Amino acid sequence: MKPTQHNSSGLPYLPAAGPVSERTHYQTISAVVGSSHYRALSDDALKDEDNAAWVLGLAPDVKRAWIDRIRWIRIVDRLAENERIEPHARRFSRFMVAWRRVRSCGFVDPCCPFARELSSIHALWLRGPALDRPDRPDRPDQDDTERRSLAAWDAYLLALADYHAPDLLIRTLKEHDTMLARLSGHIFQLVPFLTKEHWDAAAEFGRLDQFFNNLRDMQEDADRGLCYLPEEELARHGVTRAQVISGRCVDTPGYQALMRRWLDEVMPALYARAAPFIEARGLHPSLQIMREWSLRRYARITRVFRATGFDHRRFPARYWAEVRRDLAERRQLLRAQPV
C-alpha cells in the first residue's frame, strides 16, 4: 500500500479563529505547555509549534483538554532527557516516585514540584470506580476509556525510562517497531476525545508519528552520539553507526540504498497499518484537525528529506526554515480573520 499523498506546499490546516480576546496577543503552544522547561537534550519549542500550533484555534473547553495532555506528555519527556544529562538532579526519578504514590494512595504532595500536573491527572483518571461517582454512575464505557488511558500513561512513562538509557541500542527492525509503538503509540492513546472504537488505530497512527519524529531528528540525535536506525539494517547495507553519527555515510551507496528502503518500503508499511485511523470516520472534530495537520507534517518531512538527498546534516536548516515560514503565515492569517 502506498502512503496517502498529502499536499504540503500550502499552509497547514487552520482551525477557525477564536474570539478576538484570545487573538489580540498571539500565544505560542510551546509557551503554554512548557516546551523549554528544564534542561534537556534540545529546546522543544519549535517542535511543539510544528506539531500542535493548531490547538490554540480550538474552542476553549476543547483547547484546555488538549493543552493538559500535551503539557503532561511534554514535561515528562523533558524530565527523562534531563535525567540523562543531569543525572544528579534525578528529576524524572522523583516524578516517578511521586506518580507511584498517587497511583497507590491517591495522594498528591502539594510541595511536590509536579503537583499541578499530578493533580490534573488524578482528577481526570483516578477518581474512583463508577459506583463511587454520583456524577456518572451509568458510564461504564467512559470508565473503561479512563482505565485504558491510565494504562497507556503508565506504559509511556516506562518507555521513556527505557529509551532514554545512555547505552540504548536498537538491534533489529522488530525492536525498532516496538520502540515506535511504546513511545508515540501510547502518546496517541492519551489524546482527548478518543473512543474505544479508534483506540488501536490511534496507536498505529502514533507509531507512524514516531517514525517521522526520528527521521526529522536524525542530525539532532547524531549530535548527541545517537542513532536509532536498527543495527541489522545498517549492517545489511554496509553502514556503521559511527558513519551515521559523523555524517560520513551520506555519500555512500549503502546509506543511499538504506534510506530508499526506509522511505519506499518501511514508511509505506507504517502508513498501511495506520490506514484505519487515517480513513476513520466519526472522529471528534479536534482529532480530525490533528490528523490532517500531522499528515501534512509527515509529507513535508518526507519531501525535504528526499530533496536533500537523504542528507540528515542538511535537513534541519531547510526543514525548520519552512516551519518558521508556515507558522508566521498562520499567525498573520489568524490576526486577519474577521471576528
Side-chain angles (χ1 to χ4, degrees), residues 261-303:
R261 164 169 157 71
W262 213 239
L263 269 63
D264 294 342
E265 298 179 36
V266 177
M267 183 181 74
L270 291 169
Y271 267 105
R273 293 169 67 171
F277 192 83
I278 294 172
E279 299 166 2
R281 297 179 180 273
L283 292 174
H284 186 274
S286 65
L287 286 169
Q288 296 178 39
I289 296 170
M290 178 274 290
R291 178 177 61 185
E292 179 64 18
W293 184 284
S294 298
L295 289 169
R296 287 175 182 269
R297 179 165 57 87
Y298 306 159
R300 178 168 56 198
I301 291 170
T302 304
R303 174 175 52 78

Side-chain angles (χ1 to χ4, degrees), residues 4-19:
T4 305
Q5 297 298 314
H6 295 269
N7 180 11
S8 61
S9 58
L11 197 66
Y13 189 93
L14 285 170

Side-chain angles (χ1 to χ4, degrees), residues 14 17 35 51 60 62 89 91 102 111 141 152-153 222 235 301 307:
L14 285 170
S35 304
N51 292 350
V62 177
R91 290 190 175 93
V102 174
C111 297
D141 287 346
W153 174 252
I301 291 170

Side-chain angles (χ1 to χ4, degrees), residues 63-293:
K63 178 172 65 175
R64 172 50 52 195
W66 277 93
I67 286 175
D68 283 345
R69 304 307 204 287
I70 294 170
R71 179 185 290 114
W72 305 339
I73 291 165
R74 172 51 66 210
I75 285 179
V76 295
D77 180 68
R78 290 190 68 79
L79 290 174
E81 290 190 3
N82 178 265
E83 187 134 332
R84 181 170 179 170
I85 60 178
E86 295 181 346
H88 59 280
R90 300 186 68 253
R91 290 190 175 93
F92 184 71
S93 296
R94 287 158 52 205
F95 178 91
M96 291 296 289
V97 169
W99 170 242
R100 292 187 183 108
R101 183 180 298 117
V102 174
R103 289 287 272 127
S104 63
C105 62
F107 173 73
V108 178
D109 183 351
C111 297
C112 172
F114 319 111
R116 176 186 178 187
E117 290 75 29
L118 293 172
S119 295
S120 298
I121 296 170
H122 179 273
L124 183 66
W125 293 331
L126 286 167
R127 292 176 293 179
L131 292 178
D132 296 333
R133 294 166 61 176
D135 57 326
R136 43 183 196 170
D138 56 348
R139 297 284 298 278
D141 287 346
Q142 181 64 31
D143 290 316
D144 183 56
T145 299
E146 291 177 6
R147 283 190 289 269
R148 288 168 178 257
S149 298
L150 192 58
W153 174 252
D154 282 333
Y156 176 60
L157 293 177
L158 293 176
L160 283 178
D162 289 345
Y163 292 113
H164 283 87
D167 57 349
L168 176 67
L169 180 67
I170 305 299
R171 294 178 175 82
T172 66
L173 192 58
K174 183 177 181 181
E175 287 184 6
H176 181 270
D177 192 61
T178 298
M179 175 185 68
L180 302 182
R182 291 188 64 200
L183 290 171
S184 283
H186 289 310
I187 285 177
F188 275 67
Q189 291 178 325
L190 296 171
V191 298
F193 313 111
L194 182 66
T195 64
K196 288 196 298 182
E197 178 185 0
H198 302 114
W199 192 264
D200 293 335
E204 291 298 340
F205 194 71
R207 195 191 305 259
L208 178 67
D209 189 84
Q210 188 65 42
F211 173 87
F212 282 105
N213 288 346
N214 289 355
L215 191 65
R216 177 199 64 196
D217 296 340
M218 272 188 68
Q219 182 55 42
E220 178 183 304
D221 293 332
D223 288 341
R224 292 161 180 83
L226 303 173
C227 174
Y228 292 115
L229 293 170
E231 284 291 299
E232 70 174 8
E233 292 295 317
L234 293 170
R236 182 177 296 131
H237 293 86
V239 180
T240 67
R241 286 168 54 86
Q243 286 177 316
V244 175
I245 290 169
S246 69
R248 297 193 309 272
C249 63
V250 169
D251 296 324
T252 65
Y255 174 79
Q256 291 290 317
L258 168 58
M259 298 320 295
R260 282 194 296 271
R261 164 169 157 71
W262 213 239
L263 269 63
D264 294 342
E265 298 179 36
V266 177
M267 183 181 74
L270 291 169
Y271 267 105
R273 293 169 67 171
F277 192 83
I278 294 172
E279 299 166 2
R281 297 179 180 273
L283 292 174
H284 186 274
S286 65
L287 286 169
Q288 296 178 39
I289 296 170
M290 178 274 290
R291 178 177 61 185
E292 179 64 18
W293 184 284

